[in-house]
Amino acid sequence: MTRPVDPGRLRTFGIMAHVDAGKTTVSERILFLTGVNHRLGEVHDGAATLDWTRQERERGITITAAATTCTWAGHLLTLVDTPGHVDFTAEVERSLRVLDGAVAVLDGVAGVEPQSEAVWRRADRYAVPRLVFVNKLDRPGADAGRATAMLRERLGAVPLVLQLPAGVEQAFTGVIDLLTGTAHVWGDGPADVTVRDAPADPVIATARAVLVEQLVDLDEKLGDAYLAGSELDVPELRAAVRRVTLAGRAVPVLLGSALRNIGIQPLLDAVVAYLPSPLDAVGSVAGPPDPDAPACALAFKQTTLPGGQPMTFVRVYSGTLRPGDRVAVTRTGRTQRLGRVLLVHAGTTVDVDAIGPGGIGGVVGLRDVRTGDTLTDPDVPVLLESMEFPDPVLSVVIEPATRAVADRLPVALARLVAADPTVTVGTEERTGRTVLSGMGELHLEVTIGQLLDDGVRVATGTPSVAYRETITRPVTGHVHRFSRQTGGPGQFAQVVLDLAPGEGGFRFVDATTGGRVPRSFAAATGLGVRDALAAGPLGGFPVVGVQVTLTDGLTHPQDSSEAAFRSAGARAAREMLVLAGPALLEPVMTVEIVVPAEFLGTVLGDLGARRGTVASLGERSGARTVTARVPLAELVGYATDLRGGTQGRGTFTMTPAAYGRAPAR
Ligand code: GDP
């Protein structure tokens, strides 16, 4: 039986970037150089190999996180594609969860853009070690030094400048490697690179001295060697760069131009040299990455093979997955048998007979598996920490276009929900129509496009904001008696409840004493309250920010049951919500806008009209930046309006910030 690849030889990393920074082009060049891709697809002619589905090709943005495996310098590299658009938060979260390291691609002209900031902070939360690739250094106005300074100022990072550019803008031809003192210069093709000694230049000598000094300060081991007077050779310096990168104390910065094929090989070398292997991941609940341990893997994406079979992308944390193995899905407790086990190479798959710890691949043959599920050895169930996803903020009513479609819609919707945890499907209470909810307009558009790809055409209404309700004052000592006598056994429950505004969603406390309400009846009361909170009195929206306390109750020796207490809890809560000063809440977004200075006034005026509050103003690469909080309800169509109001030059990104009080509707 084949052994899985030694975890020390695996590098699983993602490329994170602002839309347009060059993530797709960098990925393409990596796949080309690692021999997987024999044709250099350019993004703009719609032939990029990483962009799988029809939609992505059409849109020219990478929506679906695909994991692609390739080899470099005796290592197995898995490139987890992360989306650049904020609407696809779930994709970003799930990729951060399965990757060990990341390459942040910056546009050499724009530097750190709002989106890069947002993704960077998320990577901080998951403590993902990072490299930075400053791309597009061939462009007029590109400045590697400025981009590096922005890393420090905007992101609070400690950049380790490992390279200097050889030439600027049009004349940018390569990079000087400061550690080895070599110049790498590219000719016409991606593989056409010449390496020679760097010229004797005081600028290079100074930059190297600064780098070494920085490393001596940051890395204790190197510091000790330096104090002991040892010669610090290249392998030692590299080892120090690796240690400080893994510890998250610094970020190596590399330079290039993906479009002109410059800088990709050194970037791949740096991925191998400085980014973590699964052996470097500490504190995993799945235990050490031992191929012979019980299997434990995370399902992080569902997709469909060209033949139509569903495939689940998994990351293996411990043990080995092989075709025919039995695995248990922790959420359902169901044990299933794996069919094929695959490695995925940019749109093609290769059957393998083992994926070991740290490995990422596809498994075929699992039913009823969702993104975020843990798969384990049936005898040793473990639950991996599940992924955090924000709740959807925008909804749209969808209706099947034809009768035939109506029959297929439920299955297609179920598949969407399984694949994307930030998509939910519900029913509009008043009309019984189907409601699809997601993270923003583009997200909903793309999701509906996926239905169309499945051959399911739907008509859509106008997107509407996912409101919530809350309460503004407490109600105490509310008594509700639920009693039914309709022949046969009766139903009886009496509850006394307090309702108070609280933090977060919903908290239920059983404060009864003396056993007047048995524990199972108290719990049933809590379930009833939860049922009632699903639809508030103002508009049937979910009610949040509520604490409910059961203070007393009464039971009947024959007629009391969990069902009766559940009904009593629900009825009591519905009565109390009306008395507790219900209020409507709306999602408020943090919006970051970049515009040329001459449009700033227009943009600010418009934000005011949208009930926006400006949090900060700034300047970036000669443009003005605005950070504001704006209710989502006022942002429907904003992309089009902003383009219109700024002659197409304004851009913006938004992320859900909080729920705030909405004006009366
Ligand atoms: P993504 O949105 O981050 O995936 O960015 P893409 O890879 O799609 O690149 C966005 C645009 O920038 C495309 O038109 C690319 O051809 C272009 N681009 C990418 N890398 C470079 C580069 O190094 N130099 C220049 N001048 N353009 C680049």
Side-chain angles (χ1 to χ4, degrees), residues 296-319:
C296 178
L298 180 77
F300 68 94
K301 185 173 168 62
Q302 314 289 328
T303 182
T304 310
L305 290 174
Q309 306 126 293
M311 181 179 85
T312 306
F313 270 99
V314 294
R315 155 131 194 181
V316 179
Y317 286 86
S318 70

Side-chain angles (χ1 to χ4, degrees), residues 17-25 43-44 60 62 135-136 138-139 257-260:
H18 193 283
V19 171
D20 263 6
K23 190 183 64 192
T24 310
T25 311
V43 178
H44 46 249
T62 310
N135 188 36
K136 300 199 185 184
D138 60 303
R139 282 183 60 196
S257 161
L259 191 66
R260 298 193 27 201

Side-chain angles (χ1 to χ4, degrees), residues 501-519:
E503 286 293 304
F506 159 55
R507 210 159 88 85
F508 178 77
V509 180
D510 172 15
T512 57
T513 48
R516 280 166 69 92
V517 182
R519 191 147 311 146

Side-chain angles (χ1 to χ4, degrees), residues 48-229:
T49 313
L50 264 195
D51 285 2
W52 283 9
T53 66
R54 179 188 61 78
Q55 281 213 28
E56 289 163 5
R57 282 179 197 209
E58 283 176 4
R59 286 171 184 276
I61 56 172
T62 310
I63 292 158
T64 315
T68 284
T69 300
C70 55
T71 54
W72 185 255
H75 288 68
L76 200 63
L77 270 46
T78 301
L79 178 53
V80 178
D81 193 18
T82 63
H85 199 283
V86 252
D87 269 4
F88 307 107
T89 324
E91 301 276 4
V92 180
E93 291 283 328
R94 92 178 61 171
S95 1
L96 286 175
R97 183 59 205 284
V98 296
L99 47 75
D100 293 317
V103 173
V105 175
L106 298 184
D107 178 325
V109 180
V112 176
E113 295 165 274
Q115 252 295 281
S116 348
E117 266 180 74
V119 185
W120 187 276
R121 274 186 237 110
R122 238 178 256 138
D124 276 343
R125 196 166 84 220
Y126 286 80
V128 177
R130 262 152 281 173
L131 307 176
V132 167
F133 184 70
V134 183
N135 188 36
K136 300 199 185 184
L137 287 176
D138 60 303
R139 282 183 60 196
D143 183 344
R146 184 181 57 217
T148 308
M150 286 172 91
L151 284 170
R152 200 187 293 276
E153 288 153 19
R154 268 182 224 290
L155 304 176
V158 177
L160 288 177
V161 176
L162 300 186
Q163 299 172 338
L164 289 184
V168 291
E169 303 180 348
Q170 274 301 345
F172 177 63
T173 53
V175 298
I176 314 284
D177 181 323
L178 293 175
L179 288 180
T180 56
T182 49
H184 301 236
V185 176
W186 277 262
D188 288 337
D192 176 14
V193 55
T194 321
V195 181
R196 51 176 174 261
D197 283 345
D201 181 335
V203 174
I204 298 174
T206 311
R208 186 177 202 273
V210 168
L211 173 62
V212 172
E213 197 176 314
Q214 232 185 333
L215 284 170
V216 163
D217 280 349
L218 287 166
D219 183 64
E220 207 172 325
K221 198 164 167 203
L222 195 74
D224 290 347
Y226 176 77
L227 289 179

